[in-house]
Amino acid sequence: MSSQAKRHLITSAIPYINGIKHLGNLVGSQLPADLFARYQRARGAEVLFLCATDEHGTPAELAAAKTGKPVAEYCADMWEVQAKIAEGFGLSFDHFGRSSSPQNHALTQHFAQRLAEEGLIEEIVTEQVYSKADGRFLPDRYVEGTCPNCGFDSARGDQCDNCTKQLDPTDLIDARSTISGSTDLEVRETRHLFLKQSKMRDTLDNWINQKADWPVLTTSIAKKWLHDGDGLQDRGITRDLDWGVPVMRADGPWPGMEGKVFYVWFDAPIEYIACAGEWVEAGKGSDWERWWRTDKGADDVRYTQFMGKDNVPFHTLSFPATIMGSNEPWKLVDYIKSFNYLNYDGGQFSTSRGRGVFMDQALEILPADYWRWWLLSNCPESSDAEFTWDGFQGGVNKDLADVLGNFISRVTKFCNSKFEPTIPAGGAWGDREEALIQELESRLRAYEAHMEAMEVRKSAAELRAMWAAGNEYLQDVAPWSTFKTDPDQAEAQIRLALNLIRIYAVLSAPFIPTAAARVCADMNTLDMAWPTDIRTALTALPEGHGFNVPDVLFAKITDDQVAEWSERFAGTRD
């Protein structure tokens, strides 16, 4: 991992428009991407952090139909909802765009034309499942049946979730429409455009082989799709739908493709690029091409993508095939950070069964920083993770209330009661203070290394250890005892501890930004400079500098709350 990059392009997998996401979605992409963006900004890097709503495809049409709204209106409304929730969680996107934007329409049509000119698009007459009951062609994932490979009875028409084999809907046994449940299906001919991914297989393979620093989770999924069975398959990039990017060339109609749209998985990743254009149009930035085109300055950009493991095939293969295949100087991803799944209390989150905590509900019951801290410090990096209410309560109460909150409270209250609410001037540091500085220096370097490498849990563990070191120091030197015999020395101890509060706020801000800002406000400082040298940083708040004794920073989660929430979010189990 390069820690020297001064410009970081960061994208989070774009959430689908049809509803509010659960905590597993949040920790699998947007939240760790925000952590990394905030950290890089704190270290002085120039950051462009982009996300958007993924608005096309049948699920959006069906979700809109349920509400009785036209699909365009439904998507506009849900974008507002998702943008507000993202703001509530402190997600620091430079722009939160929409895949239905004019920019994405134009860019998707541009890429399709370039791929066609490069000989990578083929028109194929395909057989597709048509549901008479629904009066429409069914997208692959809206056909379910029994997998011919493993016998799983809820395999989708594009892939079996049980054995992960790629499928065609016509492969399924006892196929049915997931829209109506009808088995009155027939196969009809329809003409579509296919991206000839198979021609790109060696190029993609060589590219992925160079990514020795990528997580094994990322590369193993990509390799499986490249080499298992018959290897990487050509993929249809158009659909018989009304809602989406119309199939046209950038310079005009595409004969024979009238009334069709591009497949949502073709246009959705292109929105990462289009979103930068939206960012400029919104007046938030200028010159988006310097981030995305290597002929316009993007050579010195480090591009990192964050996503759940289910999105890896499209980001390691299909999207790179689109970019490379265009034979234009677009910026390719440098690092893909992928995550496993967060499960809920012995099972899975379920929208339909109201099982688990969804992002809007989380913000109703607790401040965002409680969720941010627990989710990041327990995120599903090396394996799936489990959310339980007892684990959540224990983690929040111990780390945030007992360790960080307690340190801040004890130090400020003691200083206020024995001296006054200003940084005291007496005494000098001794061996115990030197030992603490050494430990904090060592831990800070480890914290920085883990953050650069996007090792989220290890970063959280080092941050927690730095908070704990301050508490251990307080216990050891016991300024409340020192004060009785040597008030000057107690002043030196408290002066160090008060400065340590500012350091903790700065280091913790990527994880818990709202609480960190509150602490800095209470410490009466706007100085958020990264503590590159702990010894110097411990004098940032000078003698005589005034502060306010803060209110309780983190209230503990009670057993009664846990009992209430466990019942409320249990949902209906099968």
Side-chain angles (χ1 to χ4, degrees), residues 178-253:
T178 60
I179 300 171
S180 61
S182 172
T183 56
D184 188 8
L185 310 178
E186 66 180 36
V187 175
R188 293 186 181 180
E189 285 190 347
T190 181
R191 181 180 292 273
H192 283 294
L193 302 181
F194 275 68
L195 176 59
K196 295 163 80 169
Q197 295 187 139
S198 56
K199 286 183 73 171
M200 299 288 294
R201 189 173 82 165
D202 291 346
T203 304
L204 291 164
D205 204 21
N206 291 336
W207 177 64
I208 288 164
N209 283 336
Q210 294 165 24
K211 305 298 183 183
D213 63 331
W214 282 14
V216 173
L217 180 65
T218 304
T219 49
S220 62
I221 292 171
K223 289 287 190 181
K224 185 173 182 179
W225 278 61
L226 274 169
H227 299 299
D228 273 14
D230 297 325
L232 188 62
Q233 301 295 298
D234 296 344
R235 192 171 184 96
I237 61 165
T238 57
R239 288 291 184 269
D240 290 293
L241 295 173
D242 297 324
W243 173 243
V245 178
V247 180
M248 296 176 66
R249 294 172 174 272
D251 56 7

Side-chain angles (χ1 to χ4, degrees), residues 332-381:
L332 279 161
V333 67
D334 292 298
Y335 192 80
I336 295 180
K337 176 69 175 180
S338 54
F339 292 86
N340 290 283
Y341 294 140
L342 177 71
N343 294 316
Y344 180 79
D345 203 11
Q348 293 184 326
F349 285 86
S350 170
T351 308
S352 59
R353 291 187 280 151
R355 190 165 190 280
V357 188
F358 288 72
M359 288 170 69
D360 57 336
Q361 298 166 329
L363 293 174
E364 281 169 25
I365 62 175
L366 284 171
D369 283 346
Y370 289 59
W371 300 106
R372 287 180 64 107
W373 172 254
W374 189 90
L375 289 167
L376 289 166
S377 59
N378 293 277
C379 79
E381 281 178 300

Side-chain angles (χ1 to χ4, degrees), residues 318-337:
S318 299
F319 186 38
T322 298
I323 290 185
M324 292 175 185
S326 75
N327 207 16
E328 292 180 324
W330 296 103
K331 174 69 187 170
L332 279 161
V333 67
D334 292 298
Y335 192 80
I336 295 180
K337 176 69 175 180

Side-chain angles (χ1 to χ4, degrees), residues 7-204:
R7 295 175 63 214
H8 284 272
L9 174 62
I10 300 167
T11 61
S12 160
I14 63 179
Y16 203 70
I17 196 74
N18 65 336
I20 291 162
K21 305 300 141 190
H22 58 65
L23 295 180
N25 300 130
L26 176 65
V27 76
S29 56
Q30 292 178 328
L31 192 52
D34 181 69
L35 176 77
F36 189 59
R38 285 178 176 277
Y39 171 75
Q40 290 298 345
R41 290 190 196 108
R43 301 305 310 275
E46 187 184 1
V47 170
L48 182 60
F49 178 24
L50 301 173
C51 191
T53 40
D54 180 3
E55 299 188 11
H56 296 137
T58 306
E61 291 185 310
L62 297 179
K66 272 188 188 171
T67 66
K69 293 179 183 175
V71 64
E73 183 186 331
Y74 170 81
C75 288
D77 291 348
M78 280 309 301
W79 179 87
E80 292 279 358
V81 169
Q82 291 201 14
K84 188 176 178 191
I85 291 172
E87 191 180 336
F89 271 100
L91 302 177
S92 60
F93 304 131
D94 290 293
H95 190 70
F96 186 57
R98 301 181 61 187
S99 71
S100 61
S101 68
Q103 288 86 351
N104 198 38
H105 277 235
L107 204 53
T108 298
Q109 290 164 347
H110 167 83
F111 271 110
Q113 178 166 334
R114 282 295 308 132
L115 291 164
E117 290 165 353
E118 294 292 323
L120 291 170
I121 298 285
E122 186 174 5
E123 290 190 25
I124 295 178
V125 175
T126 64
E127 293 187 331
Q128 194 171 340
V129 174
Y130 186 88
S131 167
K132 293 179 184 175
D134 299 305
R136 64 187 295 162
F137 283 104
L138 294 178
D140 297 352
R141 60 190 304 123
Y142 280 83
V143 185
E144 272 191 4
T146 300
C147 175
N149 186 49
C150 72
F152 181 59
D153 65 0
S154 294
R156 293 199 314 257
D158 57 352
Q159 188 177 0
C160 175
D161 285 339
N162 188 50
C163 69
T164 73
K165 185 176 175 62
Q166 291 181 68
L167 298 169
D168 286 317
T170 50
D171 297 335
L172 295 174
I173 301 160
D174 299 329
R176 62 189 176 274
S177 163
T178 60
I179 300 171
S180 61
S182 172
T183 56
D184 188 8
L185 310 178
E186 66 180 36
V187 175
R188 293 186 181 180
E189 285 190 347
T190 181
R191 181 180 292 273
H192 283 294
L193 302 181
F194 275 68
L195 176 59
K196 295 163 80 169
Q197 295 187 139
S198 56
K199 286 183 73 171
M200 299 288 294
R201 189 173 82 165
D202 291 346
T203 304
L204 291 164

Side-chain angles (χ1 to χ4, degrees), residues 373-374 377-378 394-405 464 467 554:
W373 172 254
W374 189 90
S377 59
N378 293 277
V396 165
N397 288 358
K398 181 173 178 292
D399 299 343
L400 296 182
D402 289 345
V403 183
L404 179 60
R464 186 193 297 115
W467 299 341
F554 297 103

